[in-house]
Amino acid sequence: MTDNWPLNVNAKSPNDPVFVGTGELPSGRYPDRSFIADLTHVGLKALADCGMVPRDVDTILLIPCLHSPFDQADLIFSRMAEELGLIGRLKSSFMVHSGGSTSDNAVRIASGLIASGHARNVLVLNCERWGSANVNEMVTMLSKYGIPNEWEMPTGLQFNAIGALIQRRYMHMTNSTPEQMASVCVTLRKWAHLNPNAMYCGKPLTVEKVLASKVVADPLHALECPMLADGAVAFVMTSAENARRRGLNTTVRVAGSGGCVSHYSIGQELDAGRLGWATAARRAYEQSGWEAKDIQLAEIYDTYAAVTTSAVEALGLCEPGEGARWFASGAADPGGKLPCNTNGGMLSAGHTGVGGGTALLVEGVRQLLGRADAPRQIPDVERCVVGGTGGSYMDSQILLLERVSKGGK
């Protein structure tokens, strides 16, 4: 059965929403940087990337931070309108939140605002300070958020344990070995080596080193878990007609979108080795008319290897059950058949909370615009899949993005 969606993103019209600019700051531990300064800086970078200035923006969408309720309150109450000198000029400034899938949903909301004519130029902002935040507060947060207080929290379940449950189930279902799972981390580190903004740029990794690191939650080792980081990313969306008028000859559009909310509690997930990726992928493919063979680049949420391997299988990028072996073969490496997580992903670029998924989206857009750093820019790339998931992997969200150039693709 084909799902009906309210926005026909497959129709190329003057109001077709498109990405035109991105911005990013280096991820890692930067205690001397400040939250508001980073948000302002990265927003200005994204605007400059497409030849805009703050006064061109009429809508700000904010992707939340989880390191501080006070910083989050500033975002909710429109502080960035003041920081960017837009008091009285903006139509809207508000927050979108669905955890790690927030960037996917922010794109949908920005697209709807543009297509309806409510917004002209939308600036989406994210900053997180997980690397510099109080460690005890971060441990408490990651031990309680998205974990049912009544049933699961008393068992000691926390996010590394949830990742371990998913990974163990995936390994059992697919007969994947620890070495094959570790190869996902190695692939992402190869991409991080090419990304000067990545937390682990210049720090090589091997399967042997991954498996020699401390076991955190069996079967996960320390180097199979994402490191908390500071970071900031932003992107700009507008209409195809407005982009044309501004002389922006290369843009990126959403060709298809699909999602699946599969559970709240991981204990209620009936297929932990697969999650909701297959349903989300089917819906996105049906909307776009694409098939797996059309995808040239993947940017898939990767807090733990099994989250990503199950996604590439569901998308048809490899055979069912072969995701870990597909990574181990080098297919997703630099120079491989289908590059995956070319910024290094959260496992090597750094886990910036809700912003980790946004960073992958920004990398996909940047690649399609042809503006990635030369060593990792994928030549002639036109089509990309972006995948996000939030909470205890309670949803799976897919965006299919394509480059549009003046006169056609």
Side-chain angles (χ1 to χ4, degrees):
M1 183 179 74
T2 301
D3 296 277
N4 295 317
W5 296 81
L7 180 62
N8 182 13
V9 295
N10 214 27
K12 297 181 181 179
S13 69
N15 265 13
D16 202 6
V18 294
F19 298 86
V20 290
T22 66
E24 182 177 46
L25 300 184
S27 296
R29 291 192 178 91
Y30 296 96
D32 295 334
R33 290 184 354 199
S34 77
F35 177 67
I36 294 299
D38 277 4
L39 272 176
T40 305
H41 186 192
V42 80
L44 293 174
K45 284 175 71 71
L47 290 168
D49 189 48
C50 55
M52 293 189 190
V53 294
R55 66 175 178 271
D56 293 315
V57 176
D58 62 3
T59 301
I60 293 177
L61 263 62
L62 294 151
I63 290 178
C65 66
L66 297 177
H67 69 269
S68 164
F70 302 103
D71 284 340
Q72 180 124 309
D74 276 352
L75 302 189
I76 294 168
F77 301 138
S78 302
R79 178 164 179 179
M80 292 313 299
E82 186 170 291
E83 294 295 330
L84 292 169
L86 296 174
I87 293 294
R89 300 182 68 96
L90 287 181
K91 292 180 180 179
S92 302
S93 174
F94 62 101
M95 182 176 288
V96 184
H97 198 350
S98 61
S101 63
T102 300
S103 53
D104 306 77
N105 290 318
V107 169
R108 293 168 181 145
I109 291 171
S111 296
L113 292 171
I114 292 165
S116 68
H118 177 81
R120 186 175 179 85
N121 299 317
V122 180
L123 175 63
V124 182
L125 294 171
N126 168 256
C127 179
E128 186 56 87
R129 303 285 298 161
W130 275 17
S132 298
N134 181 284
V135 173
N136 290 330
E137 291 177 3
M138 292 295 98
V139 169
T140 299
M141 180 194 70
L142 293 170
S143 300
K144 292 185 176 182
Y145 282 20
I147 298 171
N149 183 61
E150 303 92 338
W151 308 111
E152 294 184 358
M153 198 176 298
T155 70
L157 190 71
Q158 38 79 12
F159 269 85
N160 282 336
I162 290 173
L165 287 171
I166 293 170
Q167 190 129 323
R168 173 61 71 194
R169 179 60 182 165
Y170 174 85
M171 292 173 70
H172 172 76
M173 291 169 55
T174 63
N175 292 317
S176 298
T177 66
E179 290 78 10
Q180 290 161 351
M181 301 308 299
S183 72
V184 178
C185 305
V186 174
T187 289
L188 300 186
R189 189 63 63 89
K190 291 176 182 177
W191 284 113
H193 183 67
L194 303 178
N195 180 11
N197 285 336
M199 187 175 190
Y200 288 103
C201 179
K203 297 180 180 179
L205 188 63
T206 64
V207 167
E208 293 74 20
K209 187 173 181 179
V210 171
L211 297 181
S213 62
K214 181 178 73 172
V215 174
V216 173
D218 188 41
L220 292 175
H221 299 78
L223 291 175
E224 294 177 289
C225 302
M227 185 63 70
L228 305 186
D230 304 328
V233 288
F235 60 90
V236 180
M237 295 186 72
T238 189
S239 69
E241 177 62 18
N242 191 42
R244 184 190 65 80
R245 289 178 178 174
R246 299 186 71 91
L248 300 171
N249 295 327
T250 300
T251 61
V252 174
R253 65 185 291 272
V254 180
S257 170
C260 174
V261 179
S262 53
H263 63 273
Y264 162 62
S265 159
I266 190 64
Q268 299 302 309
E269 170 56 68
L270 300 179
D271 202 348
R274 293 189 177 92
L275 305 173
W277 290 119
T279 300
R282 173 180 60 79
R283 289 171 172 166
Y285 284 147
E286 286 175 351
Q287 191 187 54
S288 65
W290 288 19
E291 298 177 13
K293 63 181 177 59
D294 297 313
I295 293 172
Q296 301 167 299
L297 171 68
E299 307 288 352
I300 307 292
Y301 206 85
D302 68 312
T303 39
Y304 304 100
V307 175
T308 310
T309 54
S310 58
V312 298
E313 292 175 23
L315 285 159
L317 305 183
C318 65
E319 293 298 317
E322 293 298 311
R325 285 178 282 275
W326 183 76
F327 273 95
S329 75
D333 283 8
K337 180 181 178 181
L338 203 158
C340 186
N341 293 16
T342 53
N343 68 337
M346 285 180 281
L347 285 166
S348 275
H351 191 351
T352 53
V354 177
T358 316
L360 285 162
L361 168 67
V362 163
E363 173 69 6
V365 172
R366 185 166 45 215
Q367 287 278 354
L368 292 173
L369 290 172
R371 298 174 192 164
D373 296 307
R376 75 175 196 283
Q377 175 66 54
I378 309 303
D380 303 318
V381 63
E382 294 184 345
R383 290 185 166 183
C384 172
V385 58
V386 176
T389 174
S392 57
Y393 310 96
M394 54 81 179
D395 69 339
S396 301
Q397 304 294 339
I398 297 291
L399 296 176
L400 301 177
L401 308 182
E402 70 177 343
R403 184 181 72 202
V404 178
S405 298
K406 187 175 181 180
K409 287 186 181 179

